[in-house]
Amino acid sequence: MGHLDHATFGWLTPVLSYAMAAVGAALGLRCTVRALGTSGRSRRNWLLTAASALGTGIWTMHFVAMLGFGVTGTDIRYDVPLTLLSLLIAMLVVGAGVFAVGYGRDRPRALFAGGLTTGLGVASMHYLGMAALRLHGTLTYDPVLVTASVVIAVVAATAALWAALHITSPAAVAVASLVMGAAVSSMHYTGMLAIGVRVAPSGAELPGATVMQFIFPLAVGLGSYLFLTSAFVALSPPARDRTAEAAATASGGASAQRAARAPAG
């Protein structure tokens, strides 16, 4: 069995991956709260932003953590198409859960369905990402820890969607996002503890891309997307503020018209 190191750079990758998960959760929750206060095209757009933020945050958390993953006795490469497919799955399943909550009329049923779908999708993303690993040897899995990681994913997803429905204040969203970041990180590292590697030393060149060739640039790009989108959402006024501003503008315009029609003297 090869020795597995989950933090070859020390605390850097665990802390940075947790930050990515927390930022994605905060942005996704905030966008969902905005969506539930609107309707029509605006709701759809906010939900799409929420889904992309949550999916990106979860995927980036996973692969930033994987930057610190190493196995003695073998190099590691990543299958590019499978890795990109794991990103697509993360966004699609999170989108399904967010839209179920955003448009579901029966909130408890929508929450259950959305949490289950999203949690299973997040777990699928994780293990598909692990299937993209290329190394000299084979991976084995502890079924008990795999099951535990899937349960954590479902519970975390359900809690995130519940928070989106019931938490509205920025301070509460911030606290919820920190908890969600911890939950997603726990799911990842529980899944990683389930792994064992039987190394088969070989001089053959591994297929795929190295972590610095592919994972690192993609993680940096998606992390930048999260922070830029966070800035946009923070600077975008809530719907009630825009409504109040429009009402004030209309009221001011009506007053000006009445004043103009009033007789002089």
Side-chain angles (χ1 to χ4, degrees), residues 127-153:
Y127 289 106
L128 184 59
M130 296 307 299
L133 280 177
R134 297 292 178 264
L135 46 75
H136 293 303
T138 56
L139 296 178
T140 60
Y141 291 92
D142 182 326
V144 174
L145 289 175
V146 169
T147 302
S149 70
V150 174
V151 171
I152 292 173

Side-chain angles (χ1 to χ4, degrees), residues 166-241:
H166 296 88
I167 294 176
T168 58
S169 72
V173 167
V175 173
S177 67
L178 294 177
V179 175
M180 285 308 306
V184 172
S185 296
S186 297
M187 179 268 160
H188 170 82
Y189 284 106
T190 301
M192 295 305 292
L193 289 175
I195 295 173
V197 179
R198 293 192 178 93
V199 175
S202 172
E205 184 175 353
L206 288 166
T210 67
V211 68
M212 290 301 175
Q213 287 174 336
F214 175 57
I215 300 299
F216 180 72
L218 187 56
V220 169
L222 292 175
S224 300
Y225 163 77
L226 285 176
F227 284 105
L228 290 174
T229 307
S230 297
F232 167 77
V233 172
L235 295 173
S236 176
R240 62 177 180 273
D241 292 348

Side-chain angles (χ1 to χ4, degrees), residues 6-253:
H6 297 288
T8 57
F9 299 106
W11 283 100
L12 177 62
T13 49
V15 170
L16 187 56
S17 63
Y18 168 74
M20 292 295 100
V23 169
L27 183 55
L29 291 176
R30 197 64 188 152
C31 289
T32 305
V33 169
R34 294 284 188 91
L36 294 175
T38 61
S39 60
R41 183 181 301 176
S42 180
R43 172 172 290 197
R44 182 202 64 191
N45 291 341
W46 279 116
L47 290 175
L48 286 173
T49 305
S52 67
L54 280 169
T56 298
I58 292 168
W59 187 94
T60 306
M61 178 274 139
H62 171 81
F63 280 100
V64 167
M66 292 303 293
L67 292 175
F69 178 69
V71 182
T72 56
T74 178
D75 293 329
I76 294 177
R77 298 289 187 273
Y78 289 87
D79 182 288
V80 174
L82 272 181
T83 304
L84 292 176
L85 179 60
S86 71
L87 173 59
L88 179 62
I89 286 176
M91 291 188 174
L92 288 177
V93 297
V94 169
V98 167
F99 271 79
V101 168
Y103 285 103
R105 295 185 178 181
D106 186 340
R107 287 289 174 81
R109 183 177 297 177
L111 182 61
F112 173 79
L116 182 62
T117 301
T118 303
L120 292 176
V122 169
S124 298
M125 178 279 298
H126 173 87
Y127 289 106
L128 184 59
M130 296 307 299
L133 280 177
R134 297 292 178 264
L135 46 75
H136 293 303
T138 56
L139 296 178
T140 60
Y141 291 92
D142 182 326
V144 174
L145 289 175
V146 169
T147 302
S149 70
V150 174
V151 171
I152 292 173
V154 172
V155 172
T158 305
L161 295 175
W162 179 91
L165 287 174
H166 296 88
I167 294 176
T168 58
S169 72
V173 167
V175 173
S177 67
L178 294 177
V179 175
M180 285 308 306
V184 172
S185 296
S186 297
M187 179 268 160
H188 170 82
Y189 284 106
T190 301
M192 295 305 292
L193 289 175
I195 295 173
V197 179
R198 293 192 178 93
V199 175
S202 172
E205 184 175 353
L206 288 166
T210 67
V211 68
M212 290 301 175
Q213 287 174 336
F214 175 57
I215 300 299
F216 180 72
L218 187 56
V220 169
L222 292 175
S224 300
Y225 163 77
L226 285 176
F227 284 105
L228 290 174
T229 307
S230 297
F232 167 77
V233 172
L235 295 173
S236 176
R240 62 177 180 273
D241 292 348
R242 292 195 300 270
T243 301
E245 182 180 353
T249 301
S251 177

